[in-house]
Amino acid sequence: MEQPDEPHLLPVPSLLATDLDGTLAVGGRISDRNREAAARLKAAGIPVLVITGRNLRSLGRTAEVWEVADSVLFSSGSGLAAHRHAEPLERHRLS
């Protein structure tokens, strides 16, 4: 995390990670306010990581997730995808 030059300022985060259901999205919808906040973070060079227990296929029910997320950690952390139509960057099977 980048440290500010002035001690009274908070450090600039290098990443925002957020849960999807019940946090970023409520009732399967991402509010305009949350989309705008994500856009401001991205404009400041801060990537947005959305984390969910859903599998990759079920993310389609919340299509706006790709308007907000730079990447999605899905299936309770067993996979990582960088955009809507991508094959997962990583996938780990749980036994």
Side-chain angles (χ1 to χ4, degrees), residues 19-64:
D19 179 51
L20 178 61
D21 294 307
T23 305
L24 181 65
V26 176
R29 303 285 306 167
I30 299 173
S31 69
D32 290 340
R33 180 178 180 188
N34 285 345
R35 278 198 296 273
E36 291 164 5
R40 287 193 305 273
L41 288 166
K42 290 177 167 190
I46 301 168
V48 177
L49 171 66
V50 173
I51 303 168
T52 184
R54 292 184 189 193
N55 63 39
L56 190 57
R57 188 177 316 131
S58 73
L59 284 172
R61 292 187 303 229
T62 305
E64 302 104 341

Side-chain angles (χ1 to χ4, degrees), residues 59-72:
L59 284 172
R61 292 187 303 229
T62 305
E64 302 104 341
V65 71
W66 295 109
E67 294 174 25
V68 173
D70 291 296
S71 54
V72 176

